[in-house]
Structure formats: structure tokens, C-alpha cells
Amino acid sequence: DGGITQSPKYLFRKEGQNVTLSCEQNLNHDAMYWYRQDPGQGLRLIYYSQIVNDFQKGDIAEGYSVSREKKESFPLTVTSAQKNPTAFYLCASSIAQGNEQYFGPGTRLTVT
Amino acid sequence: RKEVEQDPGPFNVPEGATVAFNCTYSNSASQSFFWYRQDCRKEPKLLMSVYSSGNEDGRFTAQLNRASQYISLLIRDSKLSDSATYLCVVNGGKGYSTLTFGKGTMLLVSP
């Protein structure tokens, strides 16, 4: 089955800890994206990557970091510098820039 | 003006009704337009792309008006399963390769 997987579905962390969210795709897509969604809010772009070993900051990159060492994988680290990390995190991919994006099932992160 | 603007709703309609949503966008250079559907606490799923000539997929019709910079989605013969939030999506946000998502319009279809 082709698609995007994110793990875990739910994640709980204590304040001050870094946490890494996994995103893997087997669609052979070049571009990958990370968004966060807060209750009642739209999706906000955190980071995106158009090719391996390259990525750009989105609108709300502060407190986050990413890597793109393999085409299939685009992990997101939520650092302790992120002031409000509790949110629904969504990973997406697209075949090329500007094309429709396909989403993974998301990770709900709760930091207390 | 917000980049992508939608009426948040909710739109409450009975089964079988026809309902239409509009969305306006601010970037006149945008070239790609989409409607996504998001169920409660789930990921967004692509409903349809929106082409300049308009397009139809079963009960769903999407239209694009470049001159006025708005996109519409028409749902005919509403089903209970159509209840969801509909997201209007336009390219040309942070970079050409990125998409900007509206906050969505909630649709509730009742028996």
C-alpha cells in the first residue's frame, strides 16, 4: 500500500524535552512538508523540503528542526525552545512543487 | 486581506440539499487550486483540484474565477457522510512550491 505514515499517533512529553516525530512516504514524492494545526485553526507550514539534503523554513519554523537524509523520510524535532508545542502535527508529500499534497494520519503531541 | 479566506460556518443542511461554499484568495499569481476535506481529528484529504474551466466529480462541482480571485465548491444531493470541514487551498504561500490552506468551512448534514 502506497502512502505516508506518521508515528506515533499520540505522544506525551514533559516540558523541556526535545521530541522527534517520524514521517515516512513510499510514494516516491520529491517534496515533503510539515504543518501544525491548533484547535479551530488552519494548517500552518513549519518546514518543507523539495529534494534530499535540502529544506526551507516555513511560516512558523522557530523551535523546530528537520532533516532530509533520505527521499522517503522527513523527521521533525520539536525542541524545548518551542513555546507552545502541544498541537496536531501533519506531514505531507507531493510529487513536485505546487502539486496537490497527500497527508499522513498525523501525530497529536501533548507537552505538560 | 488574509491569503485564503473562507466562511467558517457551520452550514447546517438537510440530506438531499444543495450547498455551496466560496473562498477568496489574495495572491493573483496563484496557479494551483484545490478543495480538501477534513473530518474531525483526522488528516485533510484531497477532494478535487480546481481547473480554470471548472470541473465536476459526481455530486461535487468546483469553479474558479480568476478575475475576482475566488473559488467555489457546490455539493448536490448532500449525504450524511458529507459532514466535514472543507478546506480551500491555493499555491504560492511561502514559496511557489507551498500551499496555503484556508481555515475551512464546516458542513453539517442532518437526516
Side-chain angles (χ1 to χ4, degrees):
Chain A
D1 262 345
I4 303 175
T5 56
Q6 291 185 244
S7 60
K9 192 171 182 179
Y10 298 95
L11 191 52
F12 298 88
R13 280 292 183 270
K14 295 287 188 187
E15 204 173 299
Q17 293 178 334
N18 290 358
V19 59
T20 297
L21 311 184
S22 164
C23 176
E24 304 278 331
Q25 55 100 357
N26 61 5
L27 299 168
N28 200 31
H29 285 174
D30 284 319
M32 296 186 74
Y33 312 82
W34 273 105
Y35 297 89
R36 75 174 270 168
Q37 187 175 36
D38 296 280
Q41 299 297 313
L43 275 69
R44 291 186 290 168
L45 182 64
I46 304 173
Y47 267 98
Y48 64 104
S49 167
Q50 296 178 39
I51 54 172
V52 174
N53 292 324
D54 186 49
F55 48 83
Q56 283 79 41
K57 293 181 179 179
D59 299 310
I60 54 163
E62 187 176 347
Y64 299 98
S65 66
V66 293
S67 63
R68 185 88 188 274
E69 297 175 3
K70 297 187 300 181
K71 187 175 184 177
E72 304 79 24
S73 179
F74 191 40
L76 173 75
T77 297
V78 184
T79 75
S80 55
Q82 168 50 232
K83 289 182 173 50
N84 298 296
T86 294
F88 185 37
Y89 289 87
L90 288 156
C91 178
S93 71
S94 65
I95 194 163
Q97 59 186 357
N99 285 56
E100 63 271 20
Q101 296 176 11
Y102 297 91
F103 286 83
T107 292
R108 290 195 180 274
L109 173 65
T110 302
V111 177
T112 55
Chain B
R1 181 179 181 181
K2 292 180 185 174
E3 292 187 64
V4 179
E5 203 152 357
Q6 298 182 251
D7 180 342
F11 284 54
N12 288 284
V13 302
E15 266 187 297
T18 296
V19 61
F21 309 134
N22 285 333
C23 157
T24 58
Y25 61 95
S26 61
N27 188 347
S28 58
S30 293
Q31 295 294 321
S32 304
F33 309 90
F34 310 97
W35 283 102
Y36 278 72
R37 168 199 171 120
Q38 186 173 25
D39 292 291
C40 189
R41 299 178 67 81
K42 298 284 191 183
E43 74 275 23
K45 292 187 177 175
L46 179 67
L47 181 65
M48 58 198 306
S49 301
V50 186
Y51 305 119
S52 297
S53 55
N55 49 305
E56 188 173 311
D57 183 1
R59 298 181 293 108
F60 299 84
T61 300
Q63 298 276 356
L64 168 64
N65 184 320
R66 284 189 187 272
S68 301
Q69 293 181 214
Y70 80 79
I71 306 153
S72 64
L73 177 67
L74 181 79
I75 304 175
R76 290 182 297 279
D77 187 22
S78 298
K79 311 289 184 194
L80 294 176
S81 57
D82 293 334
S83 297
T85 297
Y86 290 83
L87 309 179
C88 174
V89 183
V90 176
N91 85 308
K94 185 75 175 179
Y96 175 70
S97 64
T98 65
L99 302 180
T100 300
F101 288 75
K103 292 185 180 179
T105 298
M106 183 181 289
L107 172 65
L108 299 172
V109 182
S110 54

